[in-house]
Amino acid sequence: MSEVAETRGRRGRGGGGAARRAARSAVSVETAKYIERNIPNLEVLNDEALDIIEKNAETILEEVGVNFVDNPEALELWKAAGANVDGERVRIPRGLARELCKTAPSKFIQHARNPERSVEIGGNNLVLAPVYGPPFVRDAQGGRRYATMADFEKFVKLGYMSKWLHHSGGTVCEPTDVAVNKRHLDMLLAHMTLSDKPFMGSVTEPSRAQDSVEMCEILFGKEFVQENTVMTSLININSPLTFDSIMMGALEVYAKNNQACIISPFIVGGAMAPVSVAGTLTQVMAEVLAGVAYSQLLRKGAPVIFGAFVTSIDMGSGAPTFGTPEAAMITYGAGQLARRMNLPYRSAGSFCGSKLPDAQAAYETANSLNMGLLAGVNFMLHSCGWLEGGLVADFEKFVMDADQLGALHGLAKGIDMSENGQAMDAIREVGPGGHYLGCAHTQANFKTAFWRSDLLDYKPFETWDEEGARDTRTLAGNRVEKLLNDYQQPVLDPSIESALREYVANKKASMPDSFT
Amino acid sequence: MSEVAETRGRRGRGGGGAARRAARSAVSVETAKYIERNIPNLEVLNDEALDIIEKNAETILEEVGVNFVDNPEALELWKAAGANVDGERVRIPRGLARELCKTAPSKFIQHARNPERSVEIGGNNLVLAPVYGPPFVRDAQGGRRYATMADFEKFVKLGYMSKWLHHSGGTVCEPTDVAVNKRHLDMLLAHMTLSDKPFMGSVTEPSRAQDSVEMCEILFGKEFVQENTVMTSLININSPLTFDSIMMGALEVYAKNNQACIISPFIVGGAMAPVSVAGTLTQVMAEVLAGVAYSQLLRKGAPVIFGAFVTSIDMGSGAPTFGTPEAAMITYGAGQLARRMNLPYRSAGSFCGSKLPDAQAAYETANSLNMGLLAGVNFMLHSCGWLEGGLVADFEKFVMDADQLGALHGLAKGIDMSENGQAMDAIREVGPGGHYLGCAHTQANFKTAFWRSDLLDYKPFETWDEEGARDTRTLAGNRVEKLLNDYQQPVLDPSIESALREYVANKKASMPDSFT
């Protein structure tokens, strides 16, 4: 029995609020269990190369150091831990950061309000979450436009309806029609009420992280939140080698409340890191070592994820590029470094630079999704819906990518070597020149034998042509519409829902709108 | 020095016709060297699983056997080798086929008329060849239509102009306006005169295979052809477990002339093989064991490739499906079996079921291309231009896929761990909060640091929008036009060209047109 199943059992037996709520969510749609890989990771670096990168990362931490900006408390913590602090520069003696990182757990459970949807992050698992952060949305009808809260809610519903998506995500798009200092409240309320999958907290201000914790205390119960992880939030490092006080303030809130954070260098190679793969891996390793070590100074055992958001730059235009071989090599290499540190790993996603959900978008995305699976990623943010270098959350691409995530589930299964898998009786039965369509083995297995897209076109040319010769984007537009029409809100205890709404209303009333 | 380079040197020193011809081809476009992988293969099966599959394959050969249809000579050869022959059924005692396969070379050089373009097939190498076999072509202007010889010639020119394509292929599309019994002559003439990359011979009749050999004797010289491999041709097995006399007749011609063949099960899983991955791998292994063993009965040491064309079936519509996880697992597993047999491996390609070069086509194709690289494929037929389950050769998709093949070259390089790759000076120079755009390491390396598409859009949104908001297909259409405009025929000794034209004219005059 996996840890998640055990916890589910305990919570079920306990007859707590969450279990009762889950029982009422009987109309909820099917969501696949998070991926448990039964295939090996692709290891592109040998031990000697990994040793060099780790040694170099330690050299950077010791000689160059990292900056903790506007953050005297962090500097005090580092000084007490044995680092050399000079102004905002923290130089970390060789071995210290790695030693501090050892108290971070190698995997953890993030609980969902529906225990069936809880996920275990780490080990051989892969948890898929949607795109995060775009200020714009696009669909075939409306074109490209600033995102609103109405768009946000549609994406949360689509995520809830997507079988292969395990996680509701965070800022699926920026609801630009809500004040910056209040939109986190509306976003969390949407994740909590429109979906029952796990979600992310706010990181744009330490106070907003605190609000996220408090809303979770209403949803899950105060005691449950203190004992369990119910949010995974995204803490970006300001690469190269800089930790700003806002992100660190959010990390501090989450770590002290035992909530998980992805600690993630944000790198456009050639701008925020060297143009070389090994150089970028060295910097990623140094930054994650420092960031994870700091999380453990805040609270030993705080759950964290080794993050690596890495893309390359087009030296012609200066634009970030996606689905490139160099980004793939960094993603593979960083996965090996994360496993070396015994930490869960976040990377990859539905990355593309294309302006439209066209063939370019799909090539780049497929390159990145495949690489993410084979690199041993444990938490894949941006796994669907990303467009135009992350500036746009695209409705059609969201369901196109979400469909492809089903293929990752199929790949991860590996090869069934049971007697049924070996199919010797079928080969004997059919023999030379026959066909397998009607044989007993096919009849017994065909329903589950092959992954099948819920979106792509498999029809004969003539049928497809008669039906309007629709391309993928058109099929996806139809699917977006269908999913939103079919959507039914998962049941939530009305007293909890009104407490959440009251909390949000009070918070909003307590401060003027700010759009900065 | 690689074997190819050595041979190039020998031929250069010899001052033979090929070397002189190459010297005159000075205007030829840049073609990348075939890929030499510096990354590991993904191994999805452990030794125990491989043992089971091989043991099961031997059991199938021994108990069920294979059919050699309409081929008394083959039955005689098998009988003499120790197989049990009963009618057309050949049952092969355990171990016999595997033993016979041992004389097949683990790698071989296929010579091009321009020695710079010769390829080594096997080992860690990957040679990329275009789509093969579609009766239809498509482009954005003309839509879907029957292919003609004019289309064929355009594809050969595009292949010649494609930097990342190492091989000119064979039946890039079926020139349906030329008689079936004569089109192989026109196709070979096009490959020989419009390109200087290596190519494939005809397999639709043993006599056409013989014509292919004779045309090569004109192009390369008779002696050279007898001593060297100058064609790699595609011999499909009629799965399950059936070897027809036409394909075997072509194999016989090629094997006896020391020319290479891909011996390739042609499998739509669920129809021509069991619905399970392990069952399909077992059948693939049995079929290749029998086919390769037969090639070695024809001529010990004849160069052959372990082929696996495998796709799955949509049990809803009966249509073949592409880029699916099950096909990927078979491709990975078959690669391991090929390496176990110490044979070069052919699989994967720009496979898709989509009717248009849209996002579906690109997802499916990218899934298959990535898997092909990581499965250790040595010869990738269909690596660009495939559309609609292979019914259509698409002009735009040809250049779209050919561009993505550049990414495979980048991935295969692996990670540069040199001092320059480690970039420690750059990290020291830039430090916390800086940027790498102008640093010395970036300046020294940016031109070669990142793979760059020659096709995809990397422009800022505003520029892209002003320029007409073009999608990938539109960009690709422009590129097709540009490549065909820029095309210059590679120089060929005029006496050889007229000898080839005379041979074709005489052959055509010697028989009436046949369209069956």
Side-chain angles (χ1 to χ4, degrees):
Chain A
M1 198 189 241
S2 77
E3 285 182 58
V4 167
E6 271 181 54
T7 311
R8 283 172 181 170
R10 277 203 305 279
R11 292 175 68 194
R13 278 195 303 278
R20 282 196 305 277
R21 288 190 296 277
R24 287 192 210 103
S25 305
V27 294
S28 69
V29 296
E30 189 187 1
T31 293
K33 189 168 184 296
Y34 54 84
I35 292 173
E36 294 175 282
R37 283 184 187 77
N38 197 27
I39 55 171
N41 300 310
L42 187 73
E43 311 266 341
V44 298
L45 293 166
N46 59 23
D47 285 342
E48 191 194 340
L50 291 168
D51 286 343
I52 291 171
I53 289 168
E54 184 174 345
K55 184 172 143 284
N56 286 350
E58 295 271 14
T59 301
I60 296 300
L61 291 179
E62 186 167 58
E63 291 181 16
V64 180
V66 296
N67 281 358
F68 275 77
V69 181
D70 287 340
N71 200 341
E73 298 82 359
L75 299 175
E76 281 308 313
L77 279 174
W78 275 117
K79 207 178 288 177
N84 304 312
V85 176
D86 176 11
E88 296 190 321
R89 186 71 62 97
V90 178
R91 290 188 177 80
I92 307 170
R94 190 173 293 278
L96 173 60
R98 183 71 191 266
E99 186 60 32
L100 290 170
C101 290
K102 284 184 179 163
T103 55
S106 62
K107 51 182 167 177
F108 62 89
I109 295 166
Q110 180 185 353
H111 295 269
R113 71 168 166 99
N114 176 352
E116 293 296 319
R117 304 276 160 92
S118 296
V119 292
E120 188 181 51
I121 299 173
N124 285 325
N125 302 341
L126 171 55
V127 172
L128 300 166
V131 61
Y132 185 105
F136 298 102
V137 296
R138 182 189 268 280
D139 60 20
Q141 276 74 47
R144 184 185 192 261
R145 57 192 189 274
Y146 275 104
T148 64
M149 196 59 214
D151 292 316
F152 187 95
E153 290 180 349
K154 280 164 72 178
F155 277 119
V156 172
K157 290 175 182 177
L158 289 176
Y160 172 70
M161 297 293 282
S162 296
K163 177 174 177 183
W164 308 114
L165 210 57
H166 316 113
H167 201 282
S168 195
T171 308
V172 189
C173 59
E174 280 286 351
T176 60
D177 56 343
V178 181
V180 168
N181 60 338
K182 299 180 179 176
R183 63 177 64 149
H184 65 289
L185 301 163
D186 286 347
M187 289 194 280
L188 276 163
L189 189 65
H191 284 300
M192 290 175 173
T193 59
L194 301 177
S195 181
D196 62 2
K197 296 184 180 181
F199 53 82
M200 306 172 78
S202 176
V203 295
T204 55
E205 263 286 317
S207 69
R208 295 172 201 155
Q210 186 59 44
D211 292 348
S212 308
V213 172
E214 288 169 13
M215 286 180 74
C216 282
E217 289 174 346
I218 297 171
L219 184 66
F220 290 93
K222 193 163 179 142
E223 198 187 335
F224 191 83
V225 170
Q226 287 309 314
E227 286 171 5
N228 295 284
T229 297
V230 298
M231 279 181 288
T232 297
S233 304
L234 178 61
I235 303 296
N236 279 328
I237 298 168
N238 206 342
S239 303
L241 303 167
T242 304
F243 295 78
D244 71 55
S245 60
I246 289 176
M247 282 284 170
M248 290 307 105
L251 172 63
E252 187 177 329
V253 171
Y254 287 126
K256 289 187 174 170
N257 284 281
N258 201 35
Q259 298 307 307
C261 285
I262 305 162
I263 298 185
S264 197
F266 181 92
I267 290 176
V268 178
M272 292 90 128
V275 286
S276 65
V277 170
T280 299
L281 285 171
T282 300
Q283 187 182 307
V284 164
M285 181 72 170
E287 292 177 350
V288 172
L289 273 169
V292 171
Y294 179 64
S295 75
Q296 302 303 302
L297 289 177
L298 292 168
R299 172 169 171 160
K300 275 200 203 334
V304 287
I305 299 175
F306 181 128
F309 176 91
V310 178
T311 177
S312 45
I313 197 169
D314 172 33
M315 286 294 183
S317 66
T321 51
F322 296 90
T324 60
E326 296 77 22
M329 282 299 128
I330 294 166
T331 305
Y332 288 124
Q336 293 185 256
L337 294 171
R339 291 190 286 281
R340 197 172 164 95
M341 287 179 70
N342 208 19
L343 289 175
Y345 176 43
R346 170 260 163 148
S347 198
S350 58
F351 296 147
C352 63
S354 187
K355 315 298 182 290
L356 294 172
D358 59 359
Q360 173 174 352
Y363 282 123
E364 292 173 335
T365 293
N367 288 347
S368 187
L369 293 180
N370 280 297
M371 147 196 108
L373 177 74
L374 301 181
V377 168
N378 300 116
F379 187 83
M380 194 192 291
L381 193 59
H382 308 298
S383 70
C384 62
W386 168 290
L387 196 71
E388 203 189 312
L391 286 175
V392 173
D394 185 275
F395 283 98
E396 284 94 4
K397 186 158 183 285
F398 192 99
V399 300
M400 286 156 58
D401 295 337
D403 182 67
Q404 285 293 304
L405 299 179
L408 299 191
H409 284 72
L411 283 167
K413 276 195 229 164
I415 297 178
D416 169 16
M417 289 300 301
S418 68
E419 288 222 358
N420 182 59
Q422 293 179 42
M424 287 294 280
D425 288 349
I427 304 177
R428 286 192 180 99
E429 180 186 338
V430 171
H435 72 77
Y436 289 80
L437 291 171
C439 83
H441 182 264
T442 302
Q443 292 299 316
N445 290 284
F446 78 91
K447 281 188 186 159
T448 56
F450 301 128
W451 171 75
R452 191 184 194 286
S453 165
D454 289 319
L455 172 70
L456 302 180
D457 167 74
Y458 292 154
K459 292 175 178 159
F461 172 78
E462 291 71 20
T463 317
W464 169 83
D465 197 44
E466 278 163 23
E467 291 180 358
R470 291 174 296 184
D471 68 2
T472 319
R473 192 187 189 189
T474 307
L475 294 173
N478 296 349
R479 186 164 168 80
V480 168
E481 201 177 346
K482 181 179 166 24
L483 289 176
L484 292 177
N485 281 337
D486 291 352
Y487 171 80
Q488 284 188 287
Q489 194 166 349
V491 175
L492 176 62
D493 184 329
S495 68
I496 290 175
E497 179 156 356
S498 37
L500 286 169
R501 294 194 183 279
E502 195 186 329
Y503 178 91
V504 169
N506 288 341
K507 268 284 164 182
K508 284 182 157 180
S510 74
M511 52 188 170
D513 281 1
S514 163
F515 275 90
T516 55
Chain B
M1 196 189 242
S2 76
E3 284 183 59
V4 168
E6 272 181 54
T7 310
R8 283 171 181 169
R10 277 205 306 279
R11 291 175 68 192
R13 279 196 302 280
R20 283 196 305 277
R21 287 190 297 277
R24 290 193 207 103
S25 306
V27 295
S28 71
V29 296
E30 188 186 3
T31 293
K33 187 166 186 295
Y34 53 84
I35 292 173
E36 293 175 285
R37 284 184 186 77
N38 198 26
I39 55 171
N41 300 312
L42 188 72
E43 311 267 337
V44 298
L45 292 166
N46 59 23
D47 285 342
E48 192 195 339
L50 290 168
D51 286 343
I52 291 171
I53 289 168
E54 184 173 344
K55 185 172 142 285
N56 286 350
E58 294 272 15
T59 301
I60 295 301
L61 291 179
E62 185 167 60
E63 290 181 16
V64 180
V66 296
N67 281 358
F68 276 76
V69 181
D70 287 339
N71 199 340
E73 298 83 358
L75 300 175
E76 282 307 313
L77 280 174
W78 275 117
K79 206 177 288 178
N84 304 312
V85 176
D86 176 12
E88 296 189 324
R89 185 70 62 95
V90 177
R91 290 189 177 80
I92 306 169
R94 190 172 293 278
L96 173 60
R98 183 71 191 267
E99 186 59 33
L100 290 170
C101 290
K102 284 183 179 164
T103 54
S106 62
K107 49 183 168 177
F108 63 89
I109 295 167
Q110 181 186 351
H111 295 270
R113 71 167 164 101
N114 176 353
E116 293 296 318
R117 304 277 159 92
S118 295
V119 293
E120 187 181 52
I121 299 174
N124 285 324
N125 302 341
L126 171 56
V127 172
L128 300 167
V131 61
Y132 185 105
F136 298 102
V137 296
R138 182 188 267 282
D139 59 21
Q141 276 74 46
R144 183 185 193 260
R145 58 192 187 274
Y146 275 104
T148 64
M149 197 59 214
D151 292 316
F152 186 95
E153 290 180 350
K154 280 164 73 178
F155 277 120
V156 171
K157 290 176 182 177
L158 289 176
Y160 172 71
M161 297 293 282
S162 297
K163 178 174 177 184
W164 308 114
L165 210 57
H166 316 113
H167 201 282
S168 196
T171 308
V172 188
C173 60
E174 280 287 350
T176 59
D177 55 344
V178 182
V180 168
N181 60 337
K182 299 179 180 177
R183 61 176 66 150
H184 65 289
L185 301 163
D186 287 347
M187 291 194 279
L188 275 165
L189 189 65
H191 284 301
M192 290 176 172
T193 59
L194 301 177
S195 180
D196 63 3
K197 296 184 181 182
F199 53 83
M200 305 171 78
S202 176
V203 295
T204 54
E205 263 285 320
S207 68
R208 297 171 200 156
Q210 186 59 44
D211 293 346
S212 307
V213 172
E214 287 168 14
M215 286 180 74
C216 282
E217 288 174 347
I218 298 172
L219 183 66
F220 289 92
K222 194 162 179 140
E223 197 186 337
F224 191 84
V225 170
Q226 287 310 313
E227 285 171 8
N228 296 283
T229 297
V230 298
M231 280 181 287
T232 298
S233 304
L234 177 61
I235 302 296
N236 280 326
I237 298 168
N238 206 343
S239 303
L241 303 168
T242 304
F243 296 78
D244 70 56
S245 60
I246 290 176
M247 282 283 170
M248 290 307 105
L251 172 64
E252 186 176 329
V253 171
Y254 287 126
K256 289 188 174 169
N257 285 281
N258 201 35
Q259 299 306 307
C261 286
I262 306 163
I263 299 185
S264 198
F266 181 92
I267 289 177
V268 177
M272 290 90 127
V275 287
S276 65
V277 170
T280 300
L281 285 171
T282 300
Q283 187 181 309
V284 165
M285 181 73 170
E287 291 176 351
V288 172
L289 273 169
V292 170
Y294 179 65
S295 75
Q296 302 303 302
L297 288 177
L298 293 169
R299 173 169 169 159
K300 273 199 204 332
V304 287
I305 299 176
F306 182 129
F309 175 92
V310 178
T311 178
S312 45
I313 197 170
D314 173 33
M315 286 294 181
S317 66
T321 51
F322 297 91
T324 59
E326 295 77 22
M329 282 300 128
I330 293 166
T331 305
Y332 288 124
Q336 292 183 256
L337 294 171
R339 290 190 287 282
R340 197 174 166 94
M341 286 179 70
N342 208 19
L343 289 175
Y345 176 43
R346 169 262 163 146
S347 197
S350 59
F351 296 145
C352 62
S354 187
K355 316 297 181 290
L356 295 171
D358 60 358
Q360 172 174 352
Y363 283 123
E364 292 173 336
T365 293
N367 288 348
S368 186
L369 293 180
N370 281 296
M371 151 195 105
L373 177 73
L374 301 181
V377 168
N378 298 115
F379 187 83
M380 195 193 290
L381 192 60
H382 308 300
S383 70
C384 62
W386 168 289
L387 196 70
E388 205 190 309
L391 285 175
V392 173
D394 185 277
F395 283 99
E396 284 93 5
K397 187 159 183 283
F398 191 98
V399 300
M400 287 156 58
D401 296 338
D403 182 68
Q404 284 293 304
L405 298 179
L408 299 191
H409 285 72
L411 282 167
K413 276 195 227 162
I415 297 178
D416 170 16
M417 289 301 300
S418 69
E419 286 221 1
N420 182 58
Q422 293 179 43
M424 286 296 279
D425 289 348
I427 304 177
R428 286 192 181 96
E429 179 186 340
V430 172
H435 71 78
Y436 288 81
L437 291 170
C439 81
H441 182 264
T442 302
Q443 293 298 316
N445 291 283
F446 78 91
K447 280 187 187 157
T448 56
F450 302 127
W451 171 76
R452 192 184 193 285
S453 165
D454 289 319
L455 172 69
L456 302 181
D457 167 74
Y458 293 154
K459 294 177 176 161
F461 173 78
E462 290 72 18
T463 316
W464 170 81
D465 198 42
E466 278 163 23
E467 291 179 359
R470 292 174 295 185
D471 67 3
T472 319
R473 192 186 188 189
T474 307
L475 295 172
N478 296 347
R479 186 163 168 80
V480 168
E481 202 177 347
K482 181 178 165 25
L483 289 176
L484 291 177
N485 282 337
D486 290 352
Y487 172 80
Q488 284 189 287
Q489 192 165 350
V491 175
L492 176 62
D493 185 327
S495 68
I496 290 174
E497 181 158 351
S498 39
L500 286 169
R501 293 193 183 282
E502 195 186 329
Y503 179 91
V504 169
N506 289 341
K507 268 282 163 184
K508 283 182 158 184
S510 74
M511 51 188 166
D513 281 2
S514 163
F515 277 89
T516 54

